[in-house]
């Protein structure tokens, strides 16, 4: 067991692309965690999707052994965290398992929106923070200006900030010395009853559920009988180990140490992230505080394209939920799409990543409905309903008013692009709260309806600022809005999967765009098909798919014109009857294309 004074637990926090994963690579290299032939870029990003997109999605842990200048050998538990706003829950979980943080800031770009969000989370967790200025080797690097920014915007003393280049390995030894000298060791008592925090878990097809733990008190050993306090499930530990970053078995984990355990857990429901693990015989009196439950903000339905895959989708979601505690799901049915699940996510990127992971890791072909946010519907009888799915909207005559979630957004942008960004925020019903300057960059704080942000706000923001704007948000409160349910009718039949809740001012534009898109996607029938957007009984947009025409005159070679007229009249009558009773089958591809339309 490593003495507490020789352990340091720390997270690396930063904005997207400021070099967290590259710094983690250099620290692993400097401590000899992997041999040169085993090293590769972003070694901790072990998901294929992370490597393709160049982003960190899952926080990863690695145990490093470092021999310091004072001759002592220290154990460093490093947590590499994501930078994107949609994965802020991963960051908060990692911070709960550590005592200190390395705050990485790009020396050319300076403080960005996610830098602020993550550093405030670290301060809330009571962390000691060491500022690190990365990419110092770039010609555009301005360390003095960025140090000033850290002091002005965040309020941290940056006079002794470390100047490094994670790419070339410059001054990495100074980072390791600072970790040992400036971060506090963990606290804990090896003799007390076992208390270990369940930081993360994932499903391994050979080992069952693998649990990542941070031991606070007591000892965790193979063969020990443990109990998970929230679920009450008891298991015998089969294997205890640490990641170096390869999984290596160890005899035991003591106070302050981070590692993994397997206990032959087959049921996903037994493992709740944030739970406390204690000894079955000598239980701890109180559980650890854990993590505050996550609140999904964007909802959409997932349906298998082949109805026979429903059970496989259920199992896959359960396994993925174990690995990613920040999304929720519940079964639902749709007239158009059959059986599926209504899922809640932390944002659009989160939705996209979960969908892609289901497709890649579980080989599922899925259809997702249009994303929507959670509304509160106040009925005339005083009841309040939470609405996740637009199709569940009560009858308008029973509704008093509808409330929608608003967010508080922080946008950092160079002064040159301020005009277009202000125009974009105003267009999305935004309310300006604050506008301040940090050097030549404006810091905007806006209140915006989440409904206007979930579609394409982030993409539009990046395009009007040429990629220079950074964006972070947090849920603010619910406000009353003039919101209506817009239904899409095909041949007078409502299509529940295409229903959306929109602001009354936007309804006509959105309805017209959706009808135009569907007109091109629905195949022509032998009769005319009307595509309509409706609010209640009022039609606000319409497009018509022209009828296919069978050539009934093919066999008429000359002869009297009345014979031809008679055949055409007969065809006309038949088409009228078909339009009355004919059913329009909307192909799956049309749904996918219409739902992918977003807000374009």
């Amino acid at each position: 067991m490593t003495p507490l004074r020789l352990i340091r637990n720390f997270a690396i926090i930063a904005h997207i692309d400021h070099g967290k994963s590259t710094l983690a690579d250099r620290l692993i290299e400097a401590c000899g965690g992997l041999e040169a032939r085993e090293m590769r870029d972003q070694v901790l990003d072990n998901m294929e999707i992370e490597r393709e997109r160049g982003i960190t999605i899952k926080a990863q842990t690695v145990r490093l052994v470092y021999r310091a200048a004072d001759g002592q050998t220290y154990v460093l538990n490093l947590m590499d965290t994501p930078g994107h706003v949609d994965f802020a829950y991963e960051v908060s979980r990692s911070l709960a398992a550590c005592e200190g943080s390395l705050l990485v800031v790009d020396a050319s770009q300076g403080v960005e929106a996610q830098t602020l969000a993550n550093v405030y989370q670290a301060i809330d967790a009571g962390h000691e923070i060491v500022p690190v200025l990365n990419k110092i080797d770039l010609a555009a690097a301005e360390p003095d200006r960025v140090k000033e920014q850290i002091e002005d915007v965040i309020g941290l003393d940056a006079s002794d900030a470390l100047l490094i280049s994670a790419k070339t390995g410059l001054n990495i030894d100074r980072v390791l010395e600072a970790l040992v000298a400036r971060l506090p060791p963990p606290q804990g008592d090896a003799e007390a009853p076992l208390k270990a925090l369940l930081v993360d878990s994932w499903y391994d097809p050979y080992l069952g559920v693998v649990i990542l733990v941070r031991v606070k008190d007591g000892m965790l050993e193979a063969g020990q009988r443990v109990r998970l306090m929230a679920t009450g499930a008891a298991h015998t530990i089969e294997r205890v180990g640490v990641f170096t970053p390869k999984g290596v078995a160890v005899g035991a984990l003591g106070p302050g140490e981070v590692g993994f355990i397997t206990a032959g857990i087959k049921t996903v429901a037994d493992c709740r992230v944030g739970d406390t693990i204690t000894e079955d015989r000598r239980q701890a009196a109180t559980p650890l505080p854990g993590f505050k439950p996550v609140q999904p903000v964007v909802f959409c339905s997932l349906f298998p394209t082949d109805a026979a895959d429903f059970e496989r989708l259920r199992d896959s979601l359960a396994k993925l939920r174990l690995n990613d505690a920040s999304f929720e799901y519940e079964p639902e049915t749709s007239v158009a799409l059959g059986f599926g699940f209504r899922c809640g996510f932390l944002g659009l990127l989160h939705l996209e990543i979960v969908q892609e992971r289901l497709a890649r890791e579980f080989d599922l072909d899925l259809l997702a409905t249009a994303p929507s946010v959670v509304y509160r519907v106040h009925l005339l009888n005083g009841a309040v309903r939470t609405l996740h799915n637009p199709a569940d909207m009560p009858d308008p005559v029973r509704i008093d008013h509808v409330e929608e979630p608003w967010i508080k957004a922080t946008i950092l942008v160079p002064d040159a692009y301020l005009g277009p960004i202000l125009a974009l925020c105003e267009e999305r019903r935004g309310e300006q709260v604050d506008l301040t300057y940090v050097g030549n960059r404006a810091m905007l704080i806006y209140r915006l309806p989440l409904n206007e942000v979930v579609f394409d706000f982030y993409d539009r923001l990046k395009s009007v600022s040429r990629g220079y704007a950074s964006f972070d948000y947090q849920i603010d409160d619910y406000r009353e809005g003039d919101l209506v349910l817009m239904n899409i009718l095909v041949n007078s039949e409502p299509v529940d999967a295409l229903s959306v809740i929109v602001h009354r001012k936007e309804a006509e534009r959105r309805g017209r765009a959706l009808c135009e898109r569907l007109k091109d996607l629905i195949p022509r029938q032998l009769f005319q098909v009307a595509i309509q957007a409706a609010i209640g009984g009022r039609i606000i947009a319409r497009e018509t798919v022209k009828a296919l025409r069978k050539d009934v005159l093919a066999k008429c070679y000359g002869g009297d014109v009345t014979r031809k007229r008679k055949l055409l009249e007969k065809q006309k009558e038949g088409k009228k009857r078909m339009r009355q009773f004919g059913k329009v089958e909307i192909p799956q591809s049309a749904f996918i294309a219409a739902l992918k339309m977003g807000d374009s």
Side-chain angles (χ1 to χ4, degrees):
M1 189 180 87
T2 312
L4 283 168
R5 62 187 176 79
L6 298 179
I7 299 174
R8 297 290 182 273
N9 297 322
F10 68 99
I12 304 179
I13 54 172
H15 186 75
I16 310 150
D17 283 339
H18 279 205
K20 294 180 298 298
S21 298
T22 312
L23 176 57
D25 289 353
R26 295 295 83 76
L27 294 173
I28 291 168
E29 226 168 36
C31 296
L34 288 173
E35 292 175 29
R37 63 186 170 80
E38 296 172 303
M39 277 306 292
R40 56 178 184 173
D41 288 345
Q42 279 85 44
V43 73
L44 294 182
D45 291 348
N46 51 21
M47 268 193 269
E48 196 181 311
I49 188 170
E50 290 179 312
R51 308 187 71 75
E52 270 177 29
R53 289 175 177 245
I55 56 172
T56 302
I57 294 165
K58 287 293 300 173
Q60 298 291 346
T61 312
V62 61
R63 175 181 179 141
L64 304 171
V65 177
Y66 171 61
R67 191 164 179 79
D70 60 6
Q72 297 276 17
T73 301
Y74 289 86
V75 168
L76 309 177
N77 290 309
L78 173 160
M79 289 208 175
D80 178 25
T81 62
H84 200 281
V85 60
D86 283 16
F87 307 115
Y89 188 60
E90 286 285 327
V91 180
S92 69
R93 288 193 348 220
S94 301
L95 297 179
C98 302
E99 286 78 38
S101 293
L102 286 183
L103 173 66
V104 180
V105 182
D106 187 322
S108 59
Q109 292 183 354
V111 174
E112 301 276 13
Q114 252 336 92
T115 315
L116 283 173
N118 287 342
V119 81
Y120 290 148
Q121 279 201 48
I123 290 166
D124 287 347
H127 277 205
E128 185 66 42
I129 297 167
V130 177
V132 176
L133 303 193
N134 190 21
K135 307 191 186 181
I136 206 76
D137 55 327
L138 294 181
E142 298 174 82
D144 294 334
R145 177 182 67 82
V146 175
K147 279 183 185 179
E148 265 178 56
Q149 257 189 28
I150 292 171
E151 288 178 356
D152 295 348
V153 181
I154 303 172
L156 274 180
D157 177 20
S159 56
D160 53 357
L162 305 168
L163 307 183
I164 70 156
S165 167
K167 191 176 179 182
T168 63
L170 178 72
N171 289 338
I172 294 298
D173 52 338
R174 290 184 58 193
V175 175
L176 289 162
E177 283 298 327
L179 285 171
V180 168
R182 290 160 65 176
L183 295 189
Q187 305 293 313
D189 179 5
E191 301 302 318
L194 173 66
K195 259 192 195 181
L197 180 67
L198 199 160
V199 180
D200 199 2
S201 55
W202 57 93
Y203 192 83
D204 185 289
Y206 304 105
L207 303 170
V209 177
V210 181
I211 299 174
L212 184 70
V213 292
R214 155 71 204 267
V215 181
K216 297 279 184 182
D217 292 320
M219 296 291 290
L220 202 52
E221 302 167 302
Q224 193 176 23
R225 185 90 176 148
V226 293
R227 185 173 289 276
L228 289 96
M229 290 180 87
T231 56
H235 296 279
T236 303
I237 295 176
E238 294 170 354
R239 187 165 173 245
V240 177
V242 294
F243 292 108
T244 67
K246 293 179 288 190
V248 176
V250 294
L253 291 173
E257 293 191 298
V258 178
F260 70 88
I261 59 167
T262 61
I265 302 172
K266 298 287 184 287
T267 50
V268 168
D270 279 359
C271 297
R272 282 193 203 153
V273 167
D275 197 353
T276 303
I277 299 171
T278 188
E279 211 173 337
D280 195 25
R281 284 185 184 167
R282 194 169 63 125
Q283 292 185 18
T286 54
L288 295 162
F291 313 117
K292 61 174 188 240
V294 66
Q295 292 296 321
V297 292
V298 176
F299 282 81
C300 94
S301 299
L302 296 178
F303 295 91
T305 48
D306 179 358
D309 284 342
F310 175 73
E311 285 300 326
R312 206 149 64 84
L313 175 59
R314 187 205 299 271
D315 293 345
S316 305
L317 283 168
K319 287 172 184 171
L320 202 58
R321 172 85 172 80
L322 177 73
N323 185 225
D324 181 357
S326 55
F327 88 92
E328 293 178 356
Y329 66 95
E330 57 185 35
E332 111 168 321
T333 55
S334 156
V335 178
L337 301 169
F339 291 99
F341 290 90
R342 188 81 184 160
C343 305
F345 307 92
L346 298 185
L348 276 195
L349 179 67
H350 189 205
L351 182 160
E352 209 180 306
I353 295 294
V354 167
Q355 215 180 323
E356 206 163 322
R357 286 185 69 186
L358 285 167
R360 284 182 184 208
E361 294 172 28
F362 302 100
D363 196 24
L364 284 163
D365 196 6
L366 297 175
L367 168 62
T369 62
S372 76
V373 299
V374 186
Y375 298 94
R376 284 186 194 153
V377 181
H378 292 256
L379 303 176
L380 289 168
N381 63 6
V384 181
R385 253 196 221 173
T386 306
L387 196 70
H388 292 164
N389 190 345
D392 299 335
M393 185 83 145
D395 191 333
V397 296
R398 294 171 50 211
I399 296 172
D400 180 39
H401 65 276
V402 181
E403 290 182 330
E404 62 178 332
W406 280 60
I407 61 167
K408 196 173 180 183
T410 306
I411 301 167
L412 282 157
V413 63
D415 198 20
Y417 306 106
L418 185 58
I421 285 186
L422 288 170
L424 174 65
C425 292
E426 292 300 324
E427 180 196 310
R428 298 302 172 96
R429 300 191 280 134
E431 296 172 2
Q432 192 174 315
V433 177
D434 195 14
L435 171 56
T436 52
Y437 277 87
V438 184
N440 66 339
R441 297 169 81 221
M443 186 162 98
L444 270 170
I445 296 178
Y446 253 90
R447 281 200 174 87
L448 289 153
L450 185 60
N451 187 13
E452 301 284 349
V453 174
V454 294
F455 280 104
D456 65 342
F457 181 82
Y458 192 68
D459 295 341
R460 288 280 305 279
L461 182 80
K462 286 291 182 191
S463 85
V464 298
S465 68
R466 298 193 185 170
Y468 285 107
S470 68
F471 172 71
D472 177 59
Y473 69 83
Q474 61 202 60
I475 298 296
D476 193 28
D477 60 358
Y478 273 78
R479 292 198 209 172
E480 190 177 332
D482 188 9
L483 302 163
V484 290
L485 173 69
M486 184 176 77
N487 282 312
I488 299 294
L489 312 174
V490 176
N491 207 25
S492 304
E493 290 287 324
V495 182
D496 59 347
L498 296 174
S499 301
V500 283
I501 293 172
V502 288
H503 195 268
R504 200 179 291 275
K505 284 193 301 187
E506 288 288 299
E508 195 176 322
R509 180 180 69 81
R510 288 275 291 279
R512 202 174 295 283
L514 201 47
C515 288
E516 281 173 12
R517 173 65 69 99
L518 281 168
K519 181 190 173 186
D520 299 332
L521 296 169
I522 291 176
R524 288 170 71 187
Q525 312 287 323
L526 287 169
F527 53 92
Q528 191 173 292
V529 178
I531 301 166
Q532 298 162 311
I535 296 172
R538 188 166 71 88
I539 304 298
I540 56 167
R542 173 181 169 135
E543 291 289 338
T544 306
V545 179
K546 294 277 184 242
L548 276 172
R549 184 172 163 184
K550 184 182 173 187
D551 189 1
V552 290
L553 306 180
K555 293 177 184 173
C556 295
Y557 301 105
D560 188 10
V561 73
T562 54
R563 185 167 169 238
K564 292 183 180 178
R565 207 170 283 150
K566 190 176 164 188
L567 284 167
L568 291 170
E569 285 298 324
K570 195 175 173 186
Q571 183 185 43
K572 206 169 171 184
E573 283 299 314
K575 288 203 174 191
K576 201 171 174 184
R577 201 161 52 248
M578 280 171 92
R579 187 157 68 246
Q580 224 170 347
F581 306 111
K583 187 169 166 56
V584 182
E585 289 288 341
I586 305 174
Q588 205 87 359
S589 56
F591 268 114
I592 294 168
L595 295 170
K596 274 186 179 166
M597 182 183 89
D599 204 20
S600 55

